[in-house]
């Protein structure tokens, strides 16, 4: 589903991804592990079409990302949900409003938005929090809102960039369990980036170790 071959990425003259080749299959939970600065986020952003790569090939569902035009890229990105370390919620909007945003941007009608948001907030265990604001929620609850938002457009792929790094160990486990449940129930491929080996052990089926832009280990 995600096929990366001899991918290189430079920022100026600095090589931040060096000859990366990975194949990620549909339905897998795949981890990319490494210290800060290893190139993990850059790799995720390449997969999401947010970052151009210097050379090599990156295909998602057999389509080369760098050959997509602007309109195709926008459509392509609908198929990928993303969650982040600091949740990226809008503080002055309620849980319900935060989750509706992607569907509103794509012009869905109110009744299908309503149905989808209810379904997803129930899935993540926040059916009691529709009208709460982010500041009234715990870290784990905020990440649950972000997960619901990432799933609204029914993506095939969920990218997680250090999604549990701001959470305590118990909350981390509960979020990882939720991600596993989503992977199984919705058959969504999950690619997660983390610097914590413990997260990898709890959730990943395959893991890739990245250092200074190089693959230095692979565990399946
Ligand atoms: P990680 O996610 O593993 O912490 P990143 O992908 O964020 O690593 O960064 C990899 C390297 O690329 C680092 O050396 C970082 O300083 C550099 N880098 C990241 N983004 C940019 C940018 N926009 N411009 C220049 N250098 C960058
Ligand atoms: P906290 O940061 O308060 O520990 P959690 O992420 O553990 O937050 O839980 C947030 C909410 O989700 C709680 O209301 C909890 O009851 C509910 N919850 C916890 N685990 C699950 C789960 N596996 N599936 C659905 N809901 C859950």
């Amino acid at each position: 589903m995600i096929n990366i071959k001899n991918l290189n990425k430079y920022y100026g003259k600095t090589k931040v991804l060096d000859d990366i080749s990975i194949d990620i299959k549909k339905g897998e939970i795949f981890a990319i592990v490494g210290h800060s600065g290893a190139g993990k986020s850059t790799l995720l952003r390449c997969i999401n079409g947010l970052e151009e790569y210097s050379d090599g090939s990156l295909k998602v569902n057999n389509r080369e990302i760098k050959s997509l035009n602007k309109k195709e890229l926008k459509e392509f990105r609908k198929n990928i949900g993303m969650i982040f370390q600091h949740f990226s919620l809008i503080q002055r909007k309620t849980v319900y409003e935060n989750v509706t945003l992607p569907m509103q941007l794509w012009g869905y009608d109110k009744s299908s938005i309503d149905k989808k948001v209810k379904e997803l907030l129930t899935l993540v265990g926040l059916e009691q929090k529709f009208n709460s604001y982010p500041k009234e929620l715990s870290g784990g609850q905020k990440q649950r809102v972000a997960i619901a938002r990432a799933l609204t457009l029914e993506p095939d792929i969920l990218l997680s960039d250090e999604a549990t790094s701001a959470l305590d160990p118990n909350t981390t486990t509960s979020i990882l369990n939720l991600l596993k449940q989503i992977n199984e129930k919705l058959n969504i491929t999950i690619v997660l980036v983390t610097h914590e080996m413990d997260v990898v052990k709890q959730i990943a089926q395959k893991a890739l170790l990245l250092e200074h832009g190089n693959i230095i280990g692979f565990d399946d």
Side-chain angles (χ1 to χ4, degrees), residues 25 45 52 71 126 140 143 145 151 159 167 183 185 207:
K25 295 196 180 78
R45 291 170 56 80
E52 285 180 27
K71 188 163 167 273
L126 288 181
Q143 196 57 284
V145 176
L151 298 176
L159 303 179
L167 307 176
N183 165 258
K185 220 168 164 172

Side-chain angles (χ1 to χ4, degrees), residues 66-208:
K66 69 180 162 196
S67 71
L68 303 178
N69 65 33
K70 229 175 162 179
K71 188 163 167 273
E72 290 167 332
L73 196 60
K74 198 178 158 208
E75 193 69 33
F76 161 78
R77 298 199 54 233
K78 235 179 135 172
N79 195 30
I80 302 189
M82 194 153 177
I83 54 175
F84 307 91
Q85 179 172 4
H86 297 296
F87 324 117
S88 302
L89 301 178
I90 297 176
Q91 299 302 321
R92 63 190 160 72
K93 291 193 185 285
T94 63
V95 164
Y96 182 86
E97 290 165 343
N98 267 284
V99 178
T100 61
L101 283 173
M103 292 184 88
Q104 275 176 359
L105 287 173
W106 280 94
Y108 285 77
D109 64 85
K110 199 177 169 321
S111 71
S112 48
I113 292 179
D114 220 48
K115 185 161 168 273
K116 180 53 91 184
V117 174
K118 278 186 186 141
E119 175 194 315
L120 288 172
L121 284 175
T122 304
L123 175 75
V124 301
L126 288 181
E127 56 274 66
Q128 311 296 331
K129 302 286 184 188
F130 276 50
N131 296 315
S132 300
Y133 285 88
K135 66 170 186 300
E136 300 167 321
L137 304 178
S138 69
Q141 290 171 332
K142 282 184 223 177
Q143 196 57 284
R144 286 169 188 273
V145 176
I147 290 168
R149 182 183 56 190
L151 298 176
T152 47
L153 303 177
E154 303 183 347
D156 285 334
I157 300 170
L158 180 66
L159 303 179
S160 167
D161 194 351
E162 300 279 6
T164 55
S165 298
L167 307 176
D168 64 56
N170 286 335
T171 310
T172 291
T173 298
S174 81
I175 293 295
L176 295 177
N177 285 338
L178 176 63
L179 292 177
K180 274 191 224 168
Q181 196 187 322
I182 286 165
N183 165 258
E184 284 165 17
K185 220 168 164 172
L186 308 176
N187 197 23
I188 291 181
T189 306
I190 299 181
V191 184
L192 63 105
V193 149
T194 180
H195 67 279
E196 295 173 301
M197 215 47 220
D198 203 44
V199 166
V200 179
K201 285 186 188 139
Q202 285 188 65
I203 189 170
Q205 296 151 353
K206 289 190 182 168
L208 179 88

